Amino acid sequence: MSVILVTGSYDHEIRFWEAWSGICSRTIPRAAESGQVNRLAISPDKRLLAAAIHKKEYIYDIAAPPAAGPIAIFEGHNGNITAVCFHSEGKWLVTGSEDGTIKIWHLRSNSHLHRNYDNEAPVNDVVVHPNQGELISCDQAGRIKQWDLSENICTHELTPGGDTPMRSISLASGGSCLVAGSVKGKCYVWKINEERSDLPRFQAVTMFQAHNKYLTQLLVSPDVKFLATCSADTTIKIWSISANYEFKHEKTLQGHQRWVWDCAFSADSAYLVTASSDHTARLWDMSTGETVRQYNGHQKAAVCCALHDGAG
C-alpha cells in the first residue's frame, strides 16, 4: 500500500480508504468492543496502526486480512486517550490522556509500559521532538510542557494564554518552531533554540487569532511552508509561514457541514485530509483549496484521520 489513509469515528469503526478512488478498502470490525475511536497514528514504516479507543491503545497490523483483530492492546490509562504519536524508528509510541498522564509504550518488549509522566491535568496533545529525546505536551490547564526523556523530568513550561486550555500543538519537521492552539481559536508560535545556546529554549515570536470559534486541531506541513487550523466553525484555514515565522492567511477550505476535528498532510504537503462531525472525511488540493475526494461511510462523526504516503 503506497498510500495509507485511515479514519476513525464515534460509530466505533476504523476505515481504510483508497485515497484516489474514495473506496473503503477495509473496515476493522469491533462488534465485541465498546468505545469511540479518538486518535489514530501510522508507524513510520507503514506496518502498524495505533488507534486510541477510549482508555486503551490498540495496535493493528496494516497488512493483515480485513477481519484481523489487534496484535496488541496497551492498557493503563484511566481516562480517554487524547493523543498518540510514534517514535521516528517505530520503537515506541507515546500516549496522552484525560487522566492527566503521558505514557511511553515499548512496541518490542513484553512489558509494554516503559515510562509514566504525571502531568497533573488532562492532556490534549503530545508530540515527539525530531531529536527523539523530548516530548512536548499541552493540556486542559493551559500549559505546554517539554519532557526530557533522558532525565525523565519536565524541563520547560509555558502558559501563553493563562489558564485557557491548550488544545493542539505541532512541531516543524526540523524542530525549528512550535505552534500551539487554544480552545478560543488563538495560535501561539515559538522559535525553538538549541539547549546549549544562550537564547531561551522557547522564544515567543508571534500570536494570532485563527478562528473565532473552538479550535480543534492544528498542523504544520512537512515542508514547513503552511499551517492548517481546524475548527468548530466547519472550516480549515491555511496559513503560509515565512522564513522569519510570519503567518499569513492564504485560504479557507470550505465544504464540511459541521465541526472539523482532525487533519493530516501528504508527505509532499500538496494535499490535506480532514475529518468532520458531518460523518465524512475529505481530501483537499492545497494549491486550489478545492475538495478532490470525499470519503463517505461512517454513520457518526469522523473525529480522527491518519495519512502516510511517504517512503516506508
Side-chain angles (χ1 to χ4, degrees):
M1 295 166 75
S2 58
V3 179
I4 299 165
L5 170 57
V6 195
T7 57
S9 167
Y10 282 176
D11 67 10
H12 297 190
E13 286 187 346
I14 297 167
R15 288 176 174 256
F16 287 78
W17 305 87
E18 293 177 4
W20 295 113
S21 71
I23 294 170
C24 178
S25 57
R26 176 186 176 190
T27 301
I28 293 178
R30 297 185 40 249
E33 306 155 30
S34 64
Q36 65 202 38
V37 185
N38 293 325
R39 295 297 289 272
L40 296 167
I42 299 165
S43 64
D45 63 7
K46 295 184 175 178
R47 284 184 52 246
L48 303 175
L49 173 72
I53 301 171
H54 194 30
K55 301 176 185 179
K56 301 176 185 178
E57 191 68 33
Y58 291 71
I59 309 298
Y60 295 94
D61 183 341
I62 288 174
I71 58 172
I73 302 173
F74 300 159
E75 299 184 54
H77 281 297
N78 298 315
N80 256 327
I81 297 173
T82 52
V84 57
C85 188
F86 274 96
H87 169 258
S88 67
E89 293 172 13
K91 292 178 181 175
W92 48 264
L93 63 80
V94 58
T95 54
S97 168
E98 290 175 354
D99 66 11
T101 68
I102 297 165
K103 299 183 190 295
I104 295 177
W105 311 85
H106 258 299
L107 291 162
R108 298 173 187 170
S109 70
N110 292 325
S111 54
H112 291 296
L113 183 58
H114 179 59
R115 297 253 178 96
N116 185 72
Y117 298 103
D118 184 5
N119 184 65
E120 299 174 339
V123 179
N124 288 331
D125 207 359
V126 181
V127 292
V128 183
H129 191 280
N131 66 19
Q132 307 302 307
E134 296 153 2
L135 306 175
I136 299 176
S137 64
C138 70
D139 67 28
Q140 201 64 15
R143 299 173 304 186
I144 295 161
K145 293 183 178 182
Q146 175 179 295
W147 305 85
D148 186 304
L149 298 182
S150 58
E151 299 289 330
N152 237 1
I153 54 169
C154 171
T155 53
H156 296 276
E157 185 175 315
L158 306 164
T159 51
D163 58 3
T164 300
M166 287 292 139
R167 172 71 193 183
S168 179
I169 47 175
S170 184
L171 276 166
S173 53
S176 59
C177 85
L178 171 72
V179 185
S182 79
V183 295
K184 293 184 177 178
K186 190 170 281 188
C187 291
Y188 302 85
V189 184
W190 295 265
K191 181 171 181 271
I192 300 180
N193 298 303
E194 291 292 328
E195 291 278 20
R196 296 181 294 278
S197 73
D198 295 330
L199 297 167
R201 175 63 168 169
F202 296 96
Q203 185 176 346
V205 287
T206 192
M207 56 185 268
F208 58 95
Q209 190 75 36
H211 298 267
N212 292 321
K213 289 192 175 181
Y214 197 97
L215 181 146
T216 53
Q217 186 77 347
L218 56 74
L219 192 61
V220 176
S221 63
D223 63 6
V224 199
K225 291 181 179 176
F226 297 100
L227 172 76
T229 58
C230 305
S231 170
D233 65 14
T234 76
T235 72
I236 307 97
K237 290 186 179 179
I238 305 299
W239 310 79
S240 60
I241 307 173
S242 71
N244 57 347
Y245 305 113
E246 290 176 351
F247 287 70
K248 179 187 173 191
H249 179 228
E250 292 293 334
K251 53 176 72 88
T252 300
L253 309 185
Q254 295 178 300
H256 280 301
Q257 302 302 305
R258 295 184 185 173
W259 289 42
V260 183
W261 284 103
D262 200 6
C263 65
F265 277 102
S266 61
D268 62 2
S269 305
Y271 296 93
L272 184 75
V273 173
T274 55
S276 167
S277 287
D278 65 12
H279 304 188
T280 72
R282 286 178 179 241
L283 179 69
W284 306 82
D285 184 324
M286 286 287 290
S287 62
T288 65
E290 298 296 322
T291 298
V292 181
R293 190 69 63 231
Q294 183 168 303
Y295 307 97
N296 302 307
H298 284 298
Q299 302 302 309
K300 292 185 180 179
V303 294
C304 52
C305 58
L307 174 68
H308 191 341
D309 66 332

